[in-house]
Amino acid sequence: MNPIEVELGEQVRQDYKAVKYFQFGNESSAPFILTSDPFSYLQAWLDEKINGIKRDRAKQRKLFTKAKYFAELAEEFHNSSKYARMPSKGTLIYYSFINLVKTYLLVNGYDLETQMEHHGLSLPSDKKINLKLTPIGDTGISIFHEFAKTIGIEINNGEGIELKLEEILRELIEVHEIGYALKLFPETKRKHLPVEIIIRTNPTRKKIFYTLSYEKKFDKIMKTDKLSKGVFREKLIPIECASDSGKKYFKSKLCFNYTNTSTKSLKMAYERICKDIEPLRINPMITRMGYRNYLNLEPSRLHRLSATLAFAYYIGTVARYRPTLNNEILKGKYQALIQEAVNSCPNQFFYLMVSHITKQICAIPMSKIE
């Protein structure tokens, strides 16, 4: 054990591998699925599911067959977007996103195609940077609303509810830093705090809990004092760590007995810990060093993936219907940020969505990271 583990608690391991926190519904022992083509892995996974259904009392085969259809559409739109330029590229990106979202919904039991479906968002002709949420009715299904609800953060779709472009952009971790460098979000502080979450056990390996830490340098540029308020105060206790003076550490209030030699016990403990972390609004992002977690210090109404979908809807809709707005917004002060988002968000969205769909940890092989 290293000095930090001696002081704070040993990292929990299973089959000699560290048990790490992920929010994909994966098993505690789930291996990394290294794939340079998440769509190919998704197609293979769906084929395996379809072929594995023998007695289809729940009509799952139909749902998975539809899911495969939309996954293929998502891939085709994505491939087309590679050779397109803005603004048409934005439309193709949105179509790839929305079809992958339909795949996700079908795998989660939604029988699409049985009633009228609508995007769930609109860009009114008298609006420039505000999207309107479509009210939920009895005659159809809002893809955006059902996705938001299923992915974990349901959004209010009441009459007249809007989403501002700035709110959407601030949820995109991929362009968070460039947005502040260009001073696009005045009078606000950076809010996506890089954190490390480690699932630990006590010296006798009979207790299980988790710690959260971040580098002290972020205290100057972020509202890290929020970690002592609200849901963070309910879940976390600040602790000292003499072995690592460059970071601030917090220990979970959740701490309970488990049997470290029992796979079943660890499985139940892992699910319980993931459930406890969920309200903290931790978002993963794939980096050169693998997955990195970011804590949202000022969470909005949107799940990170819902925000990515809303962003794609915005640029796709502007491209199709608003040429004047395209010149004003997509080529105005937001141009650099939007171009960066167009380049970086799709790959993150695809890997994260495939991970959520398959409940596996999909990652990019190091040899494929540019």
Side-chain angles (χ1 to χ4, degrees):
M1 290 190 293
N2 59 44
I4 296 176
E5 286 189 313
V6 172
E7 188 174 354
L8 300 183
E10 182 182 359
Q11 185 168 13
V12 173
R13 290 171 172 79
Q14 184 174 8
D15 299 328
Y16 305 101
K17 295 184 297 185
V19 173
K20 297 185 177 181
Y21 164 72
F22 288 96
Q23 56 180 237
F24 305 129
N26 52 281
E27 297 285 342
S28 59
S29 59
F32 277 56
I33 305 297
L34 298 177
T35 174
S36 57
D37 186 352
F39 286 107
S40 291
Y41 173 69
L42 177 58
Q43 296 289 355
W45 184 86
L46 288 168
D47 283 336
E48 182 182 25
K49 288 292 183 181
I50 293 169
N51 294 332
I53 297 172
K54 303 303 180 185
R55 301 178 66 182
D56 194 13
R57 293 177 178 175
K59 298 182 179 179
Q60 286 185 310
R61 184 179 289 107
K62 180 177 69 173
L63 296 182
F64 278 96
T65 300
K66 288 181 183 180
K68 181 174 171 59
Y69 170 82
F70 286 115
E72 289 172 348
L73 279 183
E75 182 177 11
E76 290 168 6
F77 279 118
H78 169 58
N79 289 337
S80 297
S81 72
K82 294 177 182 178
Y83 305 101
R85 295 183 297 175
M86 290 292 287
S88 58
K89 187 182 184 76
T91 295
L92 295 169
I93 287 173
Y94 174 67
Y95 285 143
S96 67
F97 282 14
I98 195 68
N99 281 292
L100 194 55
V101 165
K102 288 183 178 182
T103 299
Y104 172 78
L105 291 176
L106 283 157
V107 168
N108 280 277
Y110 283 82
D111 192 5
L112 302 181
E113 201 184 18
T114 59
Q115 56 182 314
M116 183 179 293
E117 300 165 14
H118 49 86
H119 298 281
L121 297 167
S122 65
L123 180 60
S125 58
D126 61 339
K127 301 291 183 180
K128 292 184 178 181
I129 56 174
N130 286 14
L131 292 175
K132 183 179 179 182
L133 288 158
T134 306
I136 303 170
D138 298 327
T139 58
I141 178 173
S142 164
I143 298 299
F144 184 80
H145 178 263
E146 296 306 319
F147 174 58
K149 180 171 67 176
T150 309
I151 202 70
I153 302 175
E154 185 172 6
I155 188 166
N156 181 6
N157 279 48
E159 186 66 42
I161 302 286
E162 294 181 338
L163 293 175
K164 294 183 178 180
L165 179 60
E166 182 177 310
E167 177 185 359
I168 294 169
L169 294 175
R170 285 192 75 213
E171 291 304 307
L172 306 183
I173 305 172
E174 299 89 336
V175 296
H176 191 244
E177 191 59 39
I178 193 173
Y180 279 93
L182 296 174
K183 299 179 180 180
L184 296 177
F185 310 126
E187 300 179 5
T188 65
K189 282 194 173 185
R190 293 164 173 82
K191 66 171 190 165
H192 295 293
L193 175 67
V195 297
E196 184 178 34
I197 296 175
I198 295 182
I199 300 174
R200 300 183 185 274
T201 185
N202 67 336
T204 60
R205 297 182 179 176
K206 292 181 179 180
K207 297 278 188 181
I208 191 168
F209 56 95
Y210 63 90
T211 59
L212 180 149
S213 63
Y214 70 88
E215 295 182 47
K216 290 181 179 178
K217 65 180 182 181
F218 291 110
D219 285 337
K220 295 183 178 180
I221 60 174
M222 293 187 178
K223 296 180 180 179
T224 54
D225 60 308
K226 291 199 171 186
L227 283 163
S228 62
K229 304 173 184 177
V231 68
F232 304 115
R233 185 176 181 178
E234 293 174 10
K235 300 287 184 181
L236 304 171
I237 305 169
I239 56 174
E240 294 295 326
C241 181
S243 304
D244 189 358
S245 59
K247 290 183 179 180
K248 285 191 176 179
Y249 280 85
F250 298 80
K251 180 181 177 181
S252 66
K253 290 186 178 180
L254 180 72
C255 181
F256 54 95
N257 296 326
Y258 89 115
T259 306
N260 73 302
T261 56
S262 168
T263 301
K264 181 179 179 181
S265 179
L266 181 55
K267 178 180 183 295
M268 294 173 64
Y270 184 76
E271 291 174 354
R272 188 174 173 185
I273 284 174
C274 289
K275 190 70 175 177
D276 193 71
I277 294 174
E278 189 176 322
L280 300 181
R281 297 288 290 272
I282 306 290
N283 293 306
M285 190 169 79
I286 301 175
T287 70
R288 291 181 180 274
M289 304 304 293
Y291 274 98
R292 191 173 188 183
N293 287 313
Y294 290 80
L295 185 150
N296 195 334
L297 290 170
E298 294 181 15
S300 76
R301 298 169 287 170
L302 295 169
H303 186 282
R304 179 265 190 93
L305 293 177
S306 297
T308 308
L309 180 63
F311 165 74
Y313 176 84
Y314 181 83
I315 61 173
T317 301
V318 170
R320 294 195 303 279
Y321 304 115
R322 307 285 292 275
T324 303
L325 187 58
N326 176 69
N327 289 329
E328 183 178 339
I329 299 295
L330 302 191
K331 293 186 179 180
K333 68 175 184 177
Y334 290 111
Q335 181 180 10
L337 186 147
I338 288 174
Q339 189 60 54
E340 181 64 29
V342 164
N343 290 332
S344 59
C345 285
N347 215 31
Q348 294 285 336
F349 188 82
F350 298 143
Y351 273 92
L352 294 174
M353 283 298 298
V354 171
S355 295
H356 278 289
I357 292 168
T358 63
K359 292 182 169 50
Q360 298 289 338
I361 308 163
C362 294
I364 306 173
M366 287 293 290
S367 59
K368 293 294 181 180
I369 296 179
E370 298 178 356

